[in-house]
């Protein structure tokens, strides 16, 4: 399915009309109508009740709404995660507890930049469960947290003291004197 169709569908929901959705998306109203028509044809059902006051979702439209949102989020997340910043050979995503960013990770980043100047660094924050999921799903290559869980394919390394730990399973080669552990 074309993600532009799903994005257009969500814009119509957000604005309440094809005209307002066209303005939000910077396309013509006829393009919005065409996209919605193609989407309805692909799904085999009407998604909107159209009238002069605007649009409202049909039961099928309400049901498709969560799928459209998930589809667009997934594609956008994939673009961010696999896209390599121009001028770099790789992107490293570090997941970290918010409380550890300033005191630990931000002080480590300049050292990492000197060791691997051709690697872009992307950061995500979360609680341990979210960070563990990011590591397991491959959305992060390094996790900095207080209480990591031991999982197959991941390496747990103590950082500073027993309360702060570093976890990583890096799919890329980094300089051997970096602090990154690999599985």
């Amino acid at each position: 399915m074309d993600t532009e169709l799903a994005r257009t569908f969500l814009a119509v929901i957000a604005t309440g009309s094809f005209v307002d959705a066209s303005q939000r998306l910077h396309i013509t109203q006829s393009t919005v109508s065409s996209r919605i028509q193609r989407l309805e044809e692909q799904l085999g059902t009407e998604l909107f009740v159209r009238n002069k006051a605007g649009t409202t979702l049909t039961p099928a439209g309400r049901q498709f709404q969560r799928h459209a949102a998930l589809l667009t989020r997934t594609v956008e997340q994939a673009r961010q995660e696999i896209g390599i910043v121009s001028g770099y050979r790789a992107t490293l995503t570090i997941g970290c507890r918010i409380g550890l960013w300033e005191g630990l990770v931000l002080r480590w980043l300049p050292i990492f930049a000197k060791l691997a100047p051709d690697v872009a660094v992307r950061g995500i924050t979360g609680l341990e469960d979210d960070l563990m999921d990011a590591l397991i799903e491959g959305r992060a290559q390094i996790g900095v947290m207080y209480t990591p869980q031991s999982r197959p394919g991941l390496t747990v390394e103590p950082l500073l003291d027993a309360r702060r730990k570093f976890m990583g399973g890096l799919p890329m080669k980094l300089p051997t004197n970096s602090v990154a552990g690999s599985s």
Side-chain angles (χ1 to χ4, degrees):
M1 174 175 292
D2 183 350
T3 56
E4 286 303 312
L5 302 180
R7 280 182 6 116
T8 303
F9 171 78
L10 293 171
V12 172
I13 294 171
T15 62
S17 78
F18 285 32
V19 172
D20 292 342
S22 71
Q23 291 171 352
R24 175 180 274 195
L25 296 171
H26 307 288
I27 58 177
T28 65
Q29 186 272 328
S30 63
T31 301
V32 170
S33 295
S34 174
R35 287 179 182 177
I36 297 301
Q37 185 177 8
R38 277 190 299 160
L39 182 60
E40 289 175 332
E41 287 171 4
Q42 286 181 8
L43 296 173
T45 187
E46 282 193 8
L47 300 171
F48 292 102
V49 174
R50 299 155 176 89
N51 58 42
K52 291 183 181 187
T55 61
T56 57
L57 287 171
T58 63
R62 279 192 295 281
Q63 193 173 10
F64 180 67
Q65 183 177 4
R66 65 185 164 89
H67 295 290
L70 179 61
L71 174 66
T72 57
R73 272 196 314 269
T74 300
V75 169
E76 187 55 38
Q77 186 176 2
R79 281 186 187 134
Q80 290 178 4
E81 289 177 7
I82 64 172
I84 297 176
V85 179
S86 178
Y88 293 91
R89 71 173 170 85
T91 300
L92 173 70
T93 301
I94 301 173
C96 185
R97 285 288 304 251
I98 192 75
L100 295 173
W101 272 111
E102 288 185 28
L104 183 63
V105 176
L106 287 180
R107 289 188 292 172
W108 175 73
L109 286 176
I111 297 165
F112 179 80
K114 286 181 184 173
L115 293 171
D118 57 346
V119 176
V121 177
R122 181 176 168 268
I124 58 173
T125 59
L127 300 175
E128 272 77 1
D129 287 343
D130 301 323
L131 297 172
M132 290 300 302
D133 287 345
L135 289 165
I136 291 164
E137 295 167 7
R139 292 181 286 119
Q141 292 78 45
I142 296 176
V144 181
M145 61 193 82
Y146 292 108
T147 55
Q149 303 164 12
S150 209
R151 297 283 176 90
L154 299 178
T155 302
V156 177
E157 296 287 336
L159 246 189
L160 300 178
D161 63 41
R163 291 176 305 148
R164 294 183 183 167
K165 297 199 179 227
F166 164 87
M167 176 178 258
L170 300 179
M172 64 182 85
K173 288 191 177 254
L174 295 174
T176 56
N177 57 350
S178 75
V179 295
S182 61
S183 54

